[in-house]
Amino acid sequence: MSDRGSAPPGTAAPAYPRQWEADVVLADGGTVHLRPIRPDDADALVALHARLSDQTRYYRFFGAYPQIPPRDLERFTVVDYDRRLAIVAALGADLIGVARYDRTAPGQAEVAFVIEDVHQGRGLGPLLLEHLAAAARERGVVRFDADVLPTNRRMLRVFLDAGYRAERAFDGGTVHVTFAIEPTAESMAAAYAREHRAEAQSIRRLLTPASVAVIGASEERYGVGRAVLANVLAHGFTGPVFPVHPTAPEVAGLPAYRSVLDIPQSVDLAVVALPAPAVLEVVTQCAAKGVHGLVIVSAGFAETGEPAGVERQAELVRVARAHGMRVVGPNCLGILNSDPAVRLNATLAATVPDHGRIGMFSQSGSLGSMVLAETARRGLGLSTFVSAGNRADVSGNDVLQFWEEDDATGVVLLYLETFGNPHKFGRLARRISLRKPVIVVRAGRVSALVPVGHRVDPLRLPPQAEDELFAQTGVVRVDTLAQALDVAAVFAHQPLPAGDRVAIVGNSFAVGLLAMDACLAHGLHVAGGAPIDLGAHADAAAYDSALAAAGTDDGVDAVVVVFVPPLVGDDPDVRAVVARHGTGAHGKPVVSTFLAQRGLVDELGPVPSFDTPETAVQALAQVMAHAAWRRRPVGALPDLADLDVDAARQTAAAVLVDTPAGRRLTDDESARLLREIGVRVWPGVRARSVEAALLAARRLGWPVAVKAAEEHLRHRVDLGAVRLDVRAERDLRAAYEAIAAMASGEVIVQRMAPPGVAVTVETRGDPRFGALVSVGVGGIATQLLGDRAYRAVPLTDVDAAEMVRSLRAAPLLLGWRGADPVDVKALEDLLLRVSELVDEVPEVRTLRLGTVLVNATGLAVLEAQVEVAPSAGRADVGPRRLNR
């Protein structure tokens, strides 16, 4: 092509599109930096070309092409980021891959890739394609084509595995591949699958190192580095351990090295315990050494709230990612892997649990240390533990990806203070919860406080709304850490119940009655209608008989065993009986109350013990709720008719062209936007005089409703700001005069809609959960009670149905006291359409359908208020990238 992409004389060079830069995780768990090519990349591009094998050059250029001629080098590196663009993969100072496109026709571009031989097979090709396609779409390119040699099967596989609908044809000895680059369900699913494998592998590399260096280890008795080193050694790490100290010849009986660069063997994991100002230099040394991952326990970064700490943290993450390393921390407790083949305790906690089935993630280091000790005291056991600290790089979402595939982990326990990527968390949690329980303890849920350096939520949801959003994804939310361990103990060691019927077996009627009250309080059913009281003199045989009967009873789904230490009978024998019946032989969970004991006790085997019957039932109730969630239909994203998302995007974009900062839409604009998603707003006219109100009534048709235009008065029938069923001019004049006297003089005139039950539908953005949809029955009483249902988008058909039926006022919709039920399906359809709008058009910041009248044959949307604003887009949509 003749165009070389350089700026014409006298014109400014094209602006560098920094928004296309991204850190990404490769298939083997390493990281690399992707960015648009720059003119100063010429030397690095020549060096990359020199490292390519003859075969790779042949595949890329269809010939030997031993050197890049100066003319081609300028064309490759000087681009306009529109007609021609290249995305490079940078690892440290080296370029290891390039993907480029050149426009060949309007909306169409030819693509080409080259990846350094030693980095082929790491999943870099699909990542480059994702990012190049996303940039191309921004520039109006809708289709890619490429010519590939038939023997270049690896590149052909990149195109075919991307999930796009590619067409292939042989053309003069090459395979011509062409495909539309608009994301499809298949391409997004393929990208998510690659993301899952890559992020899981990156965490696996951190948790299963072959060797560990402790940088900052010393002989100081209370030194942080010495504590980490001591814990690594005491736990019996199965690989070599290398203390790093600038002057000491040995530490803890091991040879010490002046820097990580002096260690003669390879280092997989480096634990850094140095003053914050010294950390960046060490990170650079680890990059040169080829370390895979870093655990930085040092404080003094973003958690200080000081600009210097924030910048220091950002720079260490930038350097680490640019050189292929992932970072846990800084300001963290460390990581733990209890696998006997690894035995890694790279934490500051000396007391850690034995090997178990619970994986735990904690944002707080100090709290993590406390939980590790409590978990060990209860005998529960952990598979792995990650304390993320400031969560500068590795996040809870990353660890979730690992735990999903980790056979050693059966239960996930998360302590969260804030969310990094709420959409991604919801997507992962919903998927993982179908296989493994996810338990969450949320700090700041009521207090609204967050740690220094974390984002503050300006629009907090009520706690019950947060509960609904967690429940939507199957997450088990608990109030306290003690409850989290209670529930985890049942999940980890007992089967899931098939229902909510509980048999209570015990030797104390009083304690059994407490258990029964607790069951009823949690909405559970007590089998037989009462506890099975074996009497104070019950022995092991009596328990054996009762538990055997409960295990084979089709009317029992779970068993609560109550035992008051012995008045008569042998305590160890009873425990042995309970342990035998709690092995899951009948597929029913068994929990016990052996007073003053909490956790797993050797004599009880896999049966968790609780110190009170209430705590036992509470844990069991949460397990039963999760089991019920798994049994519910999964739901689907419905294919809605009369839905034009592209038109809705154009409407929002047109507003932002005129008002870049965003604004509230006019009534007509709001109606048009909603019409594009298949929602009709009941016609209404604003009037500033009684004559205009009369003209509107005649045009719309009598009878009409007249209401104040001001939002705070628009629904106040009790104040007289709304007059309904106005049928004559005289009545309209009176209505206008009365309303105008209390307001600005502007009213809204609407033809009377068919009577029905009033509901409100709203959307909002939440920093923790992303875009939300809520619904509530109208009325002051409902507003005072906070009776609203919340769900995160996108809604499935099951989500919409559950939202409506979860309202306390739902009987008003379903037929209360003999009234005819309304068209609930129409309301569910409305919720699904609103969900689709805010999910696909993130510029819609808020939407409120203030009055929706639902009747037996449909619904009428009486008013709509929409606000649009610029959006950075959803963090989990588009090409894969690590959060910054």
Side-chain angles (χ1 to χ4, degrees), residues 415-429:
Y415 169 78
L416 301 177
E417 294 164 346
T418 56
F419 289 89
N421 184 333
H423 272 95
K424 185 174 179 179
F425 173 80
R427 169 168 56 86
L428 295 178

Side-chain angles (χ1 to χ4, degrees), residues 31 94 124-125 212 239 374 389 397 504 525 677 846 884:
T31 60
D94 294 330
L124 185 53
V212 174
E374 177 63 12
N397 287 340
I504 303 170
H525 295 88
I677 63 165
T846 61
R884 294 181 178 273

Side-chain angles (χ1 to χ4, degrees), residues 301-639:
F301 295 88
E303 82 283 355
T304 66
E306 299 294 330
V310 173
E311 177 58 31
R312 186 181 294 131
Q313 177 171 300
E315 182 62 12
L316 80 87
V317 172
R318 186 195 67 78
V319 172
R321 288 177 173 175
H323 291 83
M325 298 181 292
R326 299 221 63 182
V327 179
V328 177
N331 186 38
C332 72
L333 185 71
I335 61 176
L336 167 75
N337 185 352
S338 66
D339 184 347
V342 181
R343 299 196 58 80
L344 173 68
N345 178 17
T347 76
L348 292 170
T351 301
V352 295
D354 292 333
H355 185 53
R357 301 187 65 245
I358 303 170
M360 181 179 176
F361 174 87
S362 174
Q363 286 182 225
S364 167
S366 57
L367 182 139
S369 181
M370 181 183 72
V371 173
L372 288 176
E374 177 63 12
T375 305
R377 189 186 70 80
R378 294 192 185 200
L380 296 183
L382 295 181
S383 59
T384 44
F385 167 84
V386 176
S387 165
N390 292 1
R391 205 179 57 194
D393 178 25
V394 169
S395 69
N397 287 340
D398 294 311
V399 186
L400 279 174
Q401 301 269 34
F402 165 74
W403 278 327
E404 182 177 6
E405 298 301 325
D406 181 35
D407 292 336
T409 301
V411 181
V412 173
L413 198 163
L414 308 174
Y415 169 78
L416 301 177
E417 294 164 346
T418 56
F419 289 89
N421 184 333
H423 272 95
K424 185 174 179 179
F425 173 80
R427 169 168 56 86
L428 295 178
R430 188 192 293 257
R431 187 179 74 213
I432 296 170
S433 292
L434 292 170
R435 297 179 51 206
K436 300 179 181 182
V438 177
I439 306 167
V440 169
V441 184
R442 266 274 293 128
R445 178 170 173 264
V446 178
S447 66
L449 296 177
V450 299
V452 175
H454 290 258
R455 180 171 52 183
V456 177
D457 179 5
L459 300 171
R460 287 194 60 80
L461 293 173
Q464 66 271 21
E466 187 171 297
D467 292 347
E468 291 182 22
L469 293 166
F470 277 126
Q472 180 186 2
T473 59
V475 168
V476 180
R477 196 205 60 77
V478 295
D479 292 319
T480 67
L481 287 166
Q483 290 177 12
L485 296 178
D486 288 342
V487 177
V490 182
F491 275 131
H493 299 280
Q494 292 296 308
L496 290 179
D500 63 357
R501 299 163 300 179
V502 182
I504 303 170
V505 178
N507 63 348
S508 168
F509 181 77
V511 179
L513 192 57
L514 289 174
M516 180 174 177
D517 287 346
C519 285
L520 298 178
H522 287 285
L524 308 182
H525 295 88
V526 176
I532 301 171
D533 182 17
L534 302 178
H537 299 281
D539 57 10
Y543 273 93
D544 191 19
S545 176
L547 292 175
T552 57
D553 188 344
D554 292 337
V556 173
D557 300 308
V559 180
V560 175
V561 180
V562 172
F563 184 79
V564 178
L567 302 175
V568 175
D570 187 9
D571 183 5
D573 288 347
V574 173
R575 294 183 186 221
V577 166
V578 174
R580 179 159 47 82
H581 285 281
T583 58
H586 299 293
K588 301 175 182 179
V590 177
V591 298
S592 66
T593 299
F594 280 75
L595 298 183
Q597 299 187 64
R598 199 168 188 174
L600 292 182
V601 183
D602 288 342
E603 298 92 333
L604 288 175
V607 177
S609 177
F610 298 87
D611 52 6
T612 68
E614 292 88 350
T615 54
V617 170
Q618 182 180 47
L620 183 62
Q622 288 175 298
V623 170
M624 286 182 159
H626 177 73
W629 178 85
R630 286 200 193 183
R631 292 193 301 270
R632 73 198 266 278
V634 175
L637 299 175
D639 186 11

Side-chain angles (χ1 to χ4, degrees), residues 6 9 50 235 251 375 432 466 567 652 716 721 753 770 774 793 811 852-853:
S6 56
H235 203 63
V251 177
T375 305
I432 296 170
E466 187 171 297
L567 302 175
R716 298 303 300 272
S774 69
V793 304
V852 179
L853 291 180

Side-chain angles (χ1 to χ4, degrees), residues 99-451:
R100 65 176 64 252
Y101 77 69
D102 291 82
R103 286 183 188 261
T104 55
Q108 188 160 334
E110 181 181 10
V111 295
F113 294 76
V114 65
I115 297 170
E116 186 175 348
D117 294 70
V118 296
H119 295 286
Q120 294 177 11
R122 301 184 67 197
L124 185 53
L127 275 164
L128 285 168
L129 177 59
E130 286 179 36
H131 285 258
L132 188 68
R137 289 194 297 271
E138 288 189 30
R139 296 300 194 242
V141 176
V142 298
R143 197 169 191 83
F144 276 172
D145 60 70
D147 289 317
V148 184
L149 292 172
T151 54
N152 192 357
R153 294 184 179 87
R154 180 166 281 172
M155 187 52 61
L156 285 171
R157 183 55 55 191
V158 167
F159 293 130
L160 299 178
D161 288 349
Y164 299 110
R165 298 180 177 91
E167 300 173 3
R168 291 177 293 171
F170 285 96
D171 182 12
T174 64
V175 179
H176 187 73
V177 182
T178 180
F179 53 92
I181 59 174
E182 183 68 23
T184 64
E186 293 81 4
S187 68
M188 292 180 65
Y192 285 153
R194 289 191 293 266
E195 171 197 68
H196 166 67
R197 292 191 296 268
E199 293 183 0
Q201 179 60 21
S202 74
I203 302 303
R204 186 175 294 108
R205 290 210 311 179
L206 284 167
L207 289 169
T208 58
S211 58
V212 174
V214 180
I215 304 174
S218 71
E219 294 290 357
E220 293 181 23
R221 182 178 179 184
Y222 298 108
V224 174
R226 176 58 189 271
V228 174
L229 178 63
N231 292 337
V232 171
L233 296 175
H235 203 63
F237 177 62
T238 56
V241 180
F242 308 111
V244 176
H245 189 281
T247 59
E250 69 173 45
V251 177
L254 295 174
Y257 300 90
R258 292 175 59 86
S259 83
V260 69
L261 295 172
D262 295 324
I263 298 174
Q265 301 178 48
S266 61
V267 175
D268 282 349
L269 178 71
V271 184
V272 182
L274 292 171
V279 170
L280 183 58
E281 180 181 358
V282 167
V283 172
T284 304
Q285 293 172 353
C286 289
K289 180 65 178 176
V291 173
H292 289 163
L294 302 168
V295 174
I296 301 178
V297 299
S298 311
F301 295 88
E303 82 283 355
T304 66
E306 299 294 330
V310 173
E311 177 58 31
R312 186 181 294 131
Q313 177 171 300
E315 182 62 12
L316 80 87
V317 172
R318 186 195 67 78
V319 172
R321 288 177 173 175
H323 291 83
M325 298 181 292
R326 299 221 63 182
V327 179
V328 177
N331 186 38
C332 72
L333 185 71
I335 61 176
L336 167 75
N337 185 352
S338 66
D339 184 347
V342 181
R343 299 196 58 80
L344 173 68
N345 178 17
T347 76
L348 292 170
T351 301
V352 295
D354 292 333
H355 185 53
R357 301 187 65 245
I358 303 170
M360 181 179 176
F361 174 87
S362 174
Q363 286 182 225
S364 167
S366 57
L367 182 139
S369 181
M370 181 183 72
V371 173
L372 288 176
E374 177 63 12
T375 305
R377 189 186 70 80
R378 294 192 185 200
L380 296 183
L382 295 181
S383 59
T384 44
F385 167 84
V386 176
S387 165
N390 292 1
R391 205 179 57 194
D393 178 25
V394 169
S395 69
N397 287 340
D398 294 311
V399 186
L400 279 174
Q401 301 269 34
F402 165 74
W403 278 327
E404 182 177 6
E405 298 301 325
D406 181 35
D407 292 336
T409 301
V411 181
V412 173
L413 198 163
L414 308 174
Y415 169 78
L416 301 177
E417 294 164 346
T418 56
F419 289 89
N421 184 333
H423 272 95
K424 185 174 179 179
F425 173 80
R427 169 168 56 86
L428 295 178
R430 188 192 293 257
R431 187 179 74 213
I432 296 170
S433 292
L434 292 170
R435 297 179 51 206
K436 300 179 181 182
V438 177
I439 306 167
V440 169
V441 184
R442 266 274 293 128
R445 178 170 173 264
V446 178
S447 66
L449 296 177
V450 299

